Amino acid sequence: MSRFKVSKFRHTEVRLPRREAWISDIRAGTIPSYGNHIKSSCSLIAFNSDRTGVLGIVPLEGQGEDKRHVTHLGCHSDLVTDLDFSPFDDFLLATGSADRMIKIWRLPAPGQALPSGPGLVLGPEDTKVEVLQFHPTVDGILVSTAGPAVKVWDVAKQQPLTELVGHGDVVQAAVWSQDGALVSTTCKDKQLRIFDPRAKPEASQSTQAHENSKDSRLAWTGTQEHLVSTGFNQMREHEVKLWDTRHFSSALTSLTLDTSPGSLMPLLDPDSGLLVLAGKGGSQLYCYEVAPQQLALSPVTQCFLESVLRGATLVPRRMLAVMGCEVLRVLQLSDTAIVPISYQVPRKAVEFYEDLFPDAAGCVPASEPHAWWAGSNRQVQRISLNPARQPHPSFTSGLVPPAEPSLDAARPVELPTGDEDPSEGFSSPSSSLISPSTPSSLGPSLSSTSGIGTSPSQRSLQSLLGPSSKFRHAQGTVLHRDSHITNLKGLNLTTPGESNGFCANQLRVAVPLLSSGGQVAVLELQKPGRLPDTVLPTLQNGTAVTDLAWDPFDPHRLAVAGEDARIRLWQVPPEGLKEVLTTPEAVLTGHTEKIYSLCFHPLAADVLASSSYDLTVRIWDLQAGIERLRLQGHRDQIFSLAWSPNGQQLATVCKDGCLRIYEPRSGPEPLQEGPGPEGARGARIVWVCDGRCLLVSGFDSQSERQLLLYSAEALACGPLAVLGLDVAPSTLLPSYDPDTSLVLLTGKGDTRVFLYELLPEAPFFLECNSFTSPDPHKGFVLLPKTECDVREVEFARCLRLRQTSLEPVAFRLPRVRKEFFQDDVFPDTAVTWEPVLSAKAWLGGANGEPRLLSLQPPGMIPVSQAPREAPTRRALSSAHYLEEKSDEQKKEELLNAMVAKLGNREDPLPQDSFEGVDEDEWAKYLAQIIVMGAQVVGRAFARALRQEFAASRAAADARGRAGHQSAAASNLSGLSLQEAQQILNVSKLNPKEIQKNYEHLFKVNDKSVGGSFYLQSKVVRAKERLEEELRIQAQEDREKEQRPQT
């Protein structure tokens, strides 16, 4: 090739699509990893969502004018670091994760339910998986990296064929050459290495790639001799280099781009030689032509993006619009959309150009894994991209076979795996969010409290939208100011992180004060309002308060822990605290260091657990005033402790990084131990899911706040699921409601309260609406269930402590049929204010169950027993059908019907109406969703009416008109008289001329002849306005005629 030959791509144009072509309404994740965050096959797109361990799956091509629906696949218990589609099977996906596992998935065709689990699992690795890529010529060979380790896997055998050694640090990229013979890697030690994995595990060549150790990437050209690397130079500028493996000591050429902290992703098409450079966090795409013969990277074009780039990938060459001369298509992943960006070469005639589209690699593998490993170098048969020579043979991988054989010869439709439970339709798999150390997973069934029904219509919606909680539309509201306690002064806002800062029961609130002597103010919830400016009566503890708790079985007894290693028991008078109390009812001594946690037994009276800096947990008999049991085994500070719901076990989370479960009556040593949060800044623990699981809130090694869910039967296996939330200094304080399985989480100094429904099985966490306050709160506690207003579907009531006030917050669920008792939201609740056992009985080994109480108010019928609102059809008389109607009447009835129907459809519902209904109604709502497309016409017309109404009203308000009645008519219709005359083209108010012009304009602006609903709505409004003006003038004329007679 002559070095002066002009490139055929020199006129390449970038075509940015209209927003209608975007895949919108997504929530992409911005996780730090070496992956591209998005990959595409010829049928599907997979991308990182904003939910930990969850991928979004969407069809590559839309079906007609239907909107492409995004489904979510729960893959791992931690971040998905990289993913890759098989080059031969459009529905075979590999995922790698920070949970150290690699999983192979068989995805279904668009519109079908996602699989309940992976087909194959590889690992676990020693550290998190960074990069993975399928072999380009063989089905079932995969390369992966984890830390400094690089492995070549035989996927079918679930074993590595070899491990490539010699890397001095974390491997940042590992890429197959196009012929599948070599693997090239870049490492944080700045070295670029080339391996022949079938010859030896050591690198055959190596050289320094880039001077900066930040993220570097690789891409092979169409030959085995040349590859491209991207990275950073010493000035932290993006750098691109072209390498020749035959002269590997230095790069053939290099170029420097902009300065940006995000990694530069090379998207190289080996057939055309076009290279697109996309920087994470950037807003530009650079396109170059790789020309090794000319020792150059020739610039082709450059484009600016409308949104920040989070990830990018190339669409397979077989899916290009070759008749439109589309030589590349890039999928840009932004925060809220996937944008297809087309690169086209302008040509005069619409035909297939052989020079632009040479034969591309087909989708049938060249050889089997064992043959390749034995030395076979057969290449994939190439196919023509000419549409006249299609279709081409297809291939379905046997690694994870589909449930049923494909019926489509051109492109097989892959179904979910055969072991999927057909009764389940969720998009999260059974092994999603599993323990990093165990490839096995829990079953896919949901708990009874999940709020996800099991009727066929519900499962169909779940397959489209993913699992969701019945509480997802929960609304947190601060109650009226009349219920607030204000003018709080001198609050102690420096209580230890292990304490909630204050405590409350159904009658009172105890709040530590900043004044000396460890004073605690006791406020009456039944007496809200402004507190006096004078000094409040308090409980004088004589030392700084570290924690405090109300006795659940005696609303007048308060336990207060102090820095002097003592626990003081106070008895508050039934009428409230009227004077300063200095002598407690009892003082418990025994700890040798400061106490920081108190926890009453949930079933037995007079039993209290406390933890201290002396690294012990002591259990007290309050009736006798002595220590009964002592738990040992902690090696550092105990962050939190919690009783199991049945009161038989006690769990702790410790600064030494361990969770422990004790059976206090059996012995002082822990029954189980397991790994806790990585961070040592603080943690909380609570029993959830009827005592089957433990929820821990803590920090990871990056100081990100996270939730960890453990099986109470297998602590040593690690967490079932890990959910990262945000970065903040304060520990999340969990408040758990066992009736709804909801947990409320917030920290001291936060302004947001997170709500999650917890499940003991995948997907484990169901996110609900969070509550946000305008200013930070100093504490947040959950009140007993009996304080909720059940008639208003209030499922939780909390108290929010501010700097100078205390305000109640009600969490309610919007429901349509609120006149009925929502028994699906309010199951029978445990009577937590009555003890089941005495301290003596519990210490003697007795167990018990709490009594249950119905929350159903008198006179309310449960919604499950409510009469169905079956639609009734009113029989009309025959005269109604035989009656002749004018064209005007027909048009008016049509407009009124469409506007009324849209009003019912588009008025915002207070909640998702799928809750609290039976299966017949479920089917009805699903049918409404299916036929909703048929209502687009009515929607568009009514929306046009509303928009025109609003715009015209603004114009009428601006102009005005003399005459009160005419001005009122203009305001009412939203259209001035002058505008109406201009629209209907009438100069005088002649009824016949108005009617004639109206009929003509309405007909010529019909959508079927190229008009629009908007113009038709203008015509209708103009006619109504002129008819109103005629009525006003007639009334004024009658009044003028009557004045001389009177």
Side-chain angles (χ1 to χ4, degrees):
M1 173 180 173
S2 171
R3 62 181 301 173
F4 300 107
K5 185 177 180 179
V6 177
S7 171
K8 59 190 170 187
F9 300 110
R10 64 188 182 279
H11 297 306
T12 299
E13 298 177 351
V14 181
R15 304 286 177 87
L16 295 175
R18 296 180 300 173
R19 288 185 176 266
E20 290 80 3
W22 293 13
I23 303 174
S24 304
D25 300 328
I26 69 169
R27 296 172 64 182
T30 56
I31 62 172
S33 74
Y34 296 123
N36 287 8
H37 303 327
I38 180 172
K39 287 294 176 68
S40 172
S41 71
C42 291
S43 301
L44 300 173
I45 302 170
F47 62 92
N48 284 97
S49 74
D50 63 343
R51 294 155 57 185
T52 301
V54 178
L55 293 181
I57 308 293
V58 65
L60 176 63
E61 301 291 342
Q63 303 296 322
E65 296 183 357
D66 293 341
K67 183 179 178 181
R68 282 176 278 188
H69 293 283
V70 179
T71 55
H72 292 89
L73 176 69
C75 300
H76 295 271
S77 63
D78 209 333
L79 302 175
V80 178
T81 52
D82 199 14
L83 61 153
D84 192 33
F85 278 104
S86 166
F88 310 112
D89 190 332
D90 293 345
F91 302 96
L92 196 68
L93 176 69
T95 60
S97 170
D99 66 5
R100 304 181 293 156
M101 309 298 292
I102 301 171
K103 298 181 181 181
I104 311 298
W105 302 86
R106 164 67 60 186
L107 300 181
Q112 299 182 15
L114 291 175
S116 61
L120 294 170
V121 178
L122 310 179
E125 297 290 85
D126 294 333
T127 183
K128 71 176 181 178
V129 178
E130 299 286 359
V131 177
L132 52 84
Q133 185 188 25
F134 277 107
H135 196 280
T137 67
V138 181
D139 179 47
I141 299 294
L142 181 80
V143 65
S144 70
T145 73
V150 180
K151 294 181 180 179
V152 178
W153 294 86
D154 185 333
V155 177
K157 296 181 179 179
Q158 297 177 265
Q159 294 178 353
L161 293 172
T162 184
E163 181 172 349
L164 309 180
V165 298
H167 299 94
D169 209 326
V170 175
V171 178
Q172 299 169 327
V175 184
W176 291 103
S177 61
Q178 292 302 314
D179 60 2
L182 303 177
V183 174
S184 59
T185 65
T186 57
C187 183
K188 206 169 182 180
D189 61 7
K190 307 178 186 178
Q191 291 293 305
L192 168 59
R193 296 175 174 88
I194 295 180
F195 295 84
D196 184 347
R198 295 176 294 183
K200 58 180 181 179
E202 295 81 14
S204 58
Q205 298 184 76
S206 66
T207 187
Q208 180 172 330
H210 299 274
E211 296 178 344
N212 198 308
S213 63
K214 288 188 67 177
D215 193 357
S216 59
R217 302 294 181 88
L218 289 173
W220 285 87
T221 65
T223 67
Q224 194 183 87
E225 290 79 24
H226 300 97
L227 69 158
V228 173
S229 68
T230 63
F232 295 83
N233 59 19
Q234 284 186 332
M235 304 302 294
R236 295 189 176 182
E237 297 171 316
H238 280 151
E239 188 175 51
V240 186
K241 291 186 177 183
L242 177 63
W243 301 87
D244 189 333
T245 58
R246 297 164 297 185
H247 308 284
F248 209 49
S249 58
S250 61
L252 293 178
T253 185
S254 65
L255 59 90
T256 302
L257 301 178
D258 54 1
T259 301
S260 176
S263 58
L264 189 65
M265 297 176 288
L267 309 177
L268 177 60
D269 176 21
D271 293 331
S272 65
L274 291 178
L275 170 68
V276 175
L277 300 171
K280 287 186 181 179
S283 58
Q284 297 183 60
L285 292 179
Y286 303 91
C287 184
Y288 289 83
E289 184 178 5
V290 180
Q293 294 83 356
Q294 302 178 26
L295 306 180
L297 295 170
S298 305
V300 175
T301 186
Q302 177 182 350
C303 78
F304 291 88
L305 307 175
E306 296 185 33
S307 55
V308 175
L309 186 142
R310 300 301 181 192
T313 190
L314 290 179
V315 170
R317 197 163 177 80
R318 300 193 301 273
M319 296 304 295
L320 297 179
V322 294
M323 301 306 291
C325 295
E326 183 185 35
V327 293
L328 277 184
R329 192 188 308 167
V330 176
L331 297 179
Q332 176 211 349
L333 179 66
S334 68
D335 290 326
T336 58
I338 298 174
V339 184
I341 301 171
S342 178
Y343 288 77
Q344 301 179 9
V345 177
R347 294 288 174 96
K348 292 182 179 180
V350 179
E351 60 184 58
F352 181 76
Y353 291 91
E354 297 282 354
D355 60 324
L356 294 180
F357 302 102
D359 290 352
C363 58
V364 178
S367 58
E368 296 293 329
H370 63 86
W372 174 83
W373 184 245
S376 172
N377 286 321
R378 293 182 58 187
Q379 297 301 299
V380 175
Q381 182 179 359
R382 303 186 74 81
I383 59 174
S384 172
L385 299 180
N386 191 338
R389 301 180 187 177
Q390 296 179 3
H392 300 290
S394 62
F395 176 80
T396 300
S397 174
L399 296 175
V400 185
E404 297 178 7
S406 172
L407 299 179
D408 188 349
R411 181 172 299 160
V413 177
E414 306 300 335
L415 300 177
T417 55
D419 57 357
E420 179 180 342
D421 184 356
S423 67
E424 298 299 334
F426 10 61
S427 54
S428 292
S430 62
S431 62
S432 66
L433 308 178
I434 63 172
S435 167
S437 60
T438 55
S440 61
S441 61
L442 297 174
S445 61
L446 287 175
S447 75
S448 59
T449 61
S450 67
I452 301 179
T454 57
S455 65
S457 52
Q458 287 174 305
R459 291 195 297 271
S460 299
L461 283 178
Q462 293 161 23
S463 65
L464 291 174
L465 308 177
S468 58
S469 170
K470 73 170 75 171
F471 300 97
R472 61 190 177 277
H473 298 305
Q475 298 173 355
T477 306
V478 177
L479 298 185
H480 192 271
R481 188 175 177 83
D482 291 346
S483 60
H484 298 189
I485 297 176
T486 60
N487 199 33
L488 281 173
K489 296 181 179 180
L491 295 181
N492 182 8
L493 305 178
T494 60
T495 52
E498 294 76 25
S499 170
N500 287 349
F502 76 112
C503 64
N505 59 18
Q506 63 270 32
L507 299 178
R508 300 182 176 90
V509 180
V511 184
L513 300 181
L514 191 60
S515 53
S516 61
Q519 299 185 41
V520 177
V522 178
L523 310 176
E524 299 291 324
L525 287 177
Q526 307 303 322
K527 298 179 181 179
R530 179 182 174 86
L531 296 176
D533 293 328
T534 56
V535 178
L536 295 174
T538 59
L539 306 175
Q540 299 278 359
N541 290 277
T543 185
V545 174
T546 55
D547 197 17
L548 65 172
W550 289 103
D551 188 334
F553 310 121
D554 184 352
H556 308 297
R557 181 158 67 176
L558 178 70
V560 180
E563 289 189 349
D564 59 356
R566 296 183 178 183
I567 301 173
R568 293 168 175 83
L569 301 178
W570 298 89
Q571 194 71 26
V572 179
E575 65 276 5
L577 199 60
K578 302 297 184 182
E579 59 182 3
V580 175
L581 298 183
T582 58
T583 304
E585 179 187 44
V587 178
L588 307 178
T589 59
H591 282 294
T592 59
E593 298 286 346
K594 179 172 68 173
I595 301 170
Y596 43 75
S597 292
L598 298 175
C599 188
F600 278 95
H601 195 281
L603 301 179
D606 300 318
V607 176
L608 175 70
S610 63
S611 61
S612 165
Y613 277 98
D614 60 14
L615 308 185
T616 65
V617 175
R618 308 195 183 205
I619 298 176
W620 308 84
D621 182 348
L622 302 187
Q623 190 173 10
I626 58 175
E627 171 192 331
R628 293 291 190 184
L629 302 170
R630 183 182 305 180
L631 308 181
Q632 301 172 348
H634 300 93
R635 297 184 292 272
D636 208 329
Q637 176 186 352
I638 305 170
F639 284 140
S640 177
L641 72 161
W643 289 100
S644 62
N646 59 15
Q648 299 178 26
Q649 297 180 328
L650 187 140
T652 65
V653 56
C654 183
K655 193 175 182 179
D656 60 10
C658 290
L659 302 182
R660 296 175 175 87
I661 292 180
Y662 294 84
E663 285 190 355
R665 295 174 296 183
S666 299
E669 298 299 325
L671 184 68
Q672 292 187 68
E673 287 193 16
E678 296 179 0
R681 299 178 57 179
R684 289 298 182 93
I685 191 169
V686 62
W687 294 78
V688 297
C689 301
D690 298 324
R692 289 180 284 172
C693 297
L694 284 166
L695 179 70
V696 177
S697 64
F699 297 85
D700 64 7
S701 58
Q702 310 296 322
S703 295
E704 180 186 27
R705 296 196 294 190
Q706 61 179 195
L707 301 179
L708 302 94
L709 190 67
Y710 295 81
S711 170
E713 300 295 329
L715 280 190
C717 295
L720 297 173
V722 180
L723 178 67
L725 293 181
D726 57 6
V727 177
S730 58
T731 306
L732 285 169
L733 312 178
S735 300
Y736 180 70
D737 177 16
D739 295 342
T740 59
S741 197
L742 284 175
V743 62
L744 295 84
L745 300 131
T746 189
K748 298 177 185 176
D750 287 1
T751 59
R752 182 179 180 184
V753 179
F754 298 93
L755 268 77
Y756 286 92
E757 183 176 356
L758 303 179
L759 309 175
E761 299 144 347
F764 300 107
F765 296 99
L766 298 180
E767 185 176 4
C768 307
N769 280 346
S770 58
F771 166 75
T772 304
S773 55
D775 57 332
H777 38 251
K778 312 306 177 184
F780 202 88
V781 299
L782 183 67
L783 290 176
K785 197 75 171 184
T786 51
E787 299 304 302
C788 297
D789 187 352
V790 175
R791 295 182 181 273
E792 293 297 325
V793 201
E794 179 183 328
F795 59 87
R797 180 169 295 191
C798 304
L799 286 178
R800 176 174 176 259
L801 181 64
R802 301 174 60 197
Q803 183 81 33
T804 59
S805 65
L806 189 71
E807 56 189 29
V809 180
F811 288 88
R812 294 169 178 165
L813 191 63
R815 285 289 173 99
V816 172
R817 309 177 74 183
K818 291 169 62 175
E819 67 273 16
F820 297 101
F821 173 63
Q822 309 292 320
D823 50 350
D824 61 323
V825 178
F826 299 103
D828 291 349
T829 189
V831 178
T832 58
W833 55 92
E834 293 179 0
V836 178
L837 303 166
S838 64
K840 182 179 179 181
W842 181 80
L843 290 168
N847 295 315
E849 294 292 333
R851 180 171 63 89
L852 298 180
L853 174 70
S854 174
L855 296 175
Q856 181 178 347
M860 287 191 77
I861 301 174
V863 71
S864 60
Q865 302 175 13
R868 299 178 182 177
E869 294 182 344
T872 58
R873 299 184 62 180
R874 182 171 56 93
L876 301 176
S877 64
S878 59
H880 175 81
Y881 298 100
L882 298 176
E883 179 185 359
E884 274 303 320
K885 297 182 180 179
S886 65
D887 291 342
E888 177 64 23
Q889 289 175 317
K890 293 177 181 178
K891 291 174 183 176
E892 293 296 330
E893 287 183 4
L894 175 63
L895 292 178
N896 293 336
M898 286 193 294
V899 172
K901 191 169 188 178
L902 180 61
N904 293 334
R905 173 66 59 184
E906 288 197 343
D907 288 345
L909 293 176
Q911 88 281 351
D912 186 336
S913 59
F914 296 143
E915 308 297 346
V917 298
D918 57 62
E919 294 190 7
D920 291 340
E921 290 178 293
W922 262 101
K924 179 183 70 175
Y925 293 135
L926 182 61
Q928 290 177 351
I929 292 175
I930 295 174
V931 303
M932 196 174 292
Q935 299 174 349
V936 172
V937 174
R939 286 197 187 131
F941 185 78
R943 189 179 296 111
L945 286 175
R946 289 189 177 131
Q947 292 174 350
E948 182 271 331
F949 183 91
S952 300
R953 173 175 288 180
D957 290 342
R959 294 184 185 88
R961 185 184 186 274
H964 295 291
Q965 288 185 330
S966 184
S970 297
N971 288 331
L972 182 62
S973 64
L975 201 67
S976 69
L977 176 61
Q978 183 180 4
E979 286 176 324
Q981 289 177 304
Q982 290 175 348
I983 291 172
L984 291 186
N985 194 23
V986 293
S987 57
K988 298 181 180 180
L989 300 182
N990 187 325
K992 292 184 178 180
E993 185 179 4
I994 292 172
Q995 182 65 27
K996 177 182 177 181
N997 290 2
Y998 164 75
E999 293 177 353
H1000 171 72
L1001 292 173
F1002 192 93
K1003 181 177 180 180
V1004 299
N1005 285 291
D1006 191 83
K1007 188 174 179 64
S1008 62
V1009 295
S1012 67
F1013 289 137
Y1014 178 78
L1015 295 177
Q1016 283 185 319
S1017 67
K1018 280 279 190 182
V1019 173
V1020 173
R1021 286 293 182 188
K1023 176 176 176 291
E1024 292 176 347
R1025 177 64 184 91
L1026 295 180
E1027 289 176 344
E1028 182 65 16
E1029 190 67 23
L1030 288 172
R1031 188 191 65 78
I1032 294 173
Q1033 289 185 3
Q1035 182 179 352
E1036 291 177 351
D1037 292 339
R1038 287 195 298 270
E1039 291 176 355
K1040 288 180 181 179
E1041 293 174 358
Q1042 294 175 359
R1043 285 173 188 169
Q1045 300 176 1
T1046 57

